[in-house]
Amino acid sequence: MSAIRLLVLGAVRQHGRAHGYQVRNDLEYWGAHEWSNAKPGSIYHALKQMAKQGLLHAHEIAPSTAGGPPRTEYEITERGTEEFFSLLRESLTAHDQKTDVLSAAIGFIVDLPRDEAVALLKERVRGLEQWRASVTEYYTPEEGPQSLGHIGEIMNMWVSSADFGAEWTRGLIRRIEEGAYTFAGEGEPFVGVRAEGDENPYATGEPHEGDLG
Amino acid sequence: MSAIRLLVLGAVRQHGRAHGYQVRNDLEYWGAHEWSNAKPGSIYHALKQMAKQGLLHAHEIAPSTAGGPPRTEYEITERGTEEFFSLLRESLTAHDQKTDVLSAAIGFIVDLPRDEAVALLKERVRGLEQWRASVTEYYTPEEGPQSLGHIGEIMNMWVSSADFGAEWTRGLIRRIEEGAYTFAGEGEPFVGVRAEGDENPYATGEPHEGDLG
DNA sequence: GGATCAGTAGTCAAATTTGACCACTGCCGT
DNA sequence: ACGGCAGTGGTCAAATTTGACTACTGATCC
């Protein structure tokens, strides 16, 4: 699973109602074009697809206020909301995911209650630890570690990554448990979208030096 | 860029001449189905595509010795070899890549001379350091770090990942400089493919507990 | 007053990826 | 002697992703 569906669902959800370009802009505001495959084509495709699947409801709208082709506005449905939370929970707990999925999930983590967020992250750590154990056991050949040659470096990288990921997650859990950030049901939510007309301080036309590709 | 082209090119190259199923098997032997998108469809597609592009030469071959449809055998061309090394160098140095690309590159690193491998990895470290600097500078808002809210955790994750990646790479450089492994032009190369009929100790039908997905 | 550039909004063809499926062989148990 | 299953070798349709492109508005430059 790529991160695009989660990102798009979450963006539409925060707006209540949004057209493609708005979503596109939010994702850029979040830096998502730097760590995920959030290209225009993917976004519009995801919107259409999820509308077809009943996760979003499409409103055909008159020509836009500011040039360009007519826009379609989308609203998240109940099924869409369920799907959003399902994706979010899965993305937070599953260790076997690419970085972009986790990044996206962190971006929406405050849409969950604080307790649940912590519980899910703890499950993530457990998963990482288990996976680390199973990899080291499974890929440790009887002929000694040298029989793998440099291929062993790949295993080494996985295992180290797992350790790093677990450690980082523990840090995040600690911060959340100590009261950082504002979670669902704790009053004024964090505003993660720009108001109309607000300028985006992080957006530049071309990806800046240091793009994640 | 995904890792599949590098993997397939490298596999064919090591065999001298290989059919799709052989490639498929090598990749499984390397565990690539656990950390990359090396599914049958992708592999056969990549083979055909690269044959069309002149990177591989396709030999139409009689029905296989062991059941199933007729096989096509592929041989790497000169252009294919150039492409292989080009992809390999890029994958080793570029910090803005997904893990699967780096894993694949590590798997072929010994196809380079030792000096060059070290140089490329050092460049990787430089890239990571620079990128870290540019991200921290670029995404540090004037209103203080708290203005980003939990979104700051995403930046934090990137930056920590960069630090981890750099540190891991430094470790690898150290091991290589200390003489580990056998690189190009240093005699008997590491055998990374199974001989025909050899059984694969790491293959199971279903991905084992702890699949990277 | 025309060129051209940045911003708004989205489309399209081509390439790639996914996941399921086909067809055949040989072996193993009953 | 025959059913089923694992292994061999690959195809296919559908979904997704990519990268380039269209088309329009408003402002700015010279």
Side-chain angles (χ1 to χ4, degrees), chain A residues 3-170:
Chain A
I4 195 80
R5 293 172 74 93
L6 178 58
L7 283 168
V8 170
L9 270 179
V12 172
R13 181 165 176 277
Q14 293 203 350
H15 273 290
R17 184 191 263 234
H19 50 91
Y21 192 71
Q22 240 160 20
V23 172
R24 207 169 144 176
N25 248 310
D26 280 0
L27 299 199
E28 186 177 338
Y29 181 53
W30 302 339
H33 57 294
E34 307 221 1
W35 43 262
S36 79
N37 58 340
K39 320 245 162 92
S42 302
I43 294 169
Y44 289 108
H45 173 72
L47 283 168
K48 274 184 191 151
Q49 202 59 23
M50 294 196 294
K52 209 167 72 183
Q53 292 170 0
L55 306 180
L56 296 176
H57 180 75
H59 304 268
E60 292 289 342
I61 290 296
S64 70
T65 55
R71 308 180 296 193
T72 308
E73 292 201 324
Y74 296 89
E75 215 166 352
I76 195 165
T77 64
E78 201 155 337
R79 296 222 305 102
T81 304
E82 283 170 33
E83 175 74 359
F84 170 71
F85 280 108
S86 161
L87 286 177
L88 179 52
R89 294 193 178 101
E90 193 192 326
S91 304
L92 282 174
T93 54
H95 62 279
D96 56 353
Q97 290 294 351
K98 309 283 193 277
T99 324
D100 56 346
V101 175
L102 180 57
S103 291
I106 299 292
F108 295 121
I109 195 171
V110 295
D111 289 345
L112 294 167
R114 186 180 296 265
D115 288 352
E116 185 177 2
V118 168
L120 292 171
L121 289 173
K122 283 185 174 168
E123 192 172 331
R124 179 187 196 81
V125 171
R126 264 200 305 287
L128 282 165
E129 285 165 348
Q130 245 182 266
W131 176 71
R132 182 205 206 284
S134 91
V135 168
T136 45
E137 186 223 0
Y138 198 72
Y139 282 96
T140 302
E142 279 119 31
E143 306 88 50
Q146 291 324 306
S147 74
L148 282 176
H150 69 288
I151 296 293
E153 290 288 353
I154 298 180
M155 322 297 175
N156 175 288
M157 192 177 73
W158 295 351
V159 170
S160 308
S161 295
D163 290 344
F164 161 73
E167 196 45 41
W168 185 83
T169 306
R170 282 189 207 99

Side-chain angles (χ1 to χ4, degrees), chain A residues 35 131 153 156 158 181 210, chain B residues 35 131 153 156 158 168 181 210:
Chain A
W35 43 262
W131 176 71
E153 290 288 353
N156 175 288
W158 295 351
Y181 316 121
Chain B
W35 43 262
W131 177 72
E153 290 288 353
N156 175 287
W158 296 350
W168 184 83
Y181 316 120

Side-chain angles (χ1 to χ4, degrees), chain B residues 155-174:
Chain B
M155 323 295 174
N156 175 287
M157 191 177 75
W158 296 350
V159 169
S160 309
S161 297
D163 289 343
F164 161 74
E167 195 45 42
W168 184 83
T169 305
R170 281 191 208 98
L172 177 57
I173 290 172
R174 201 175 317 120

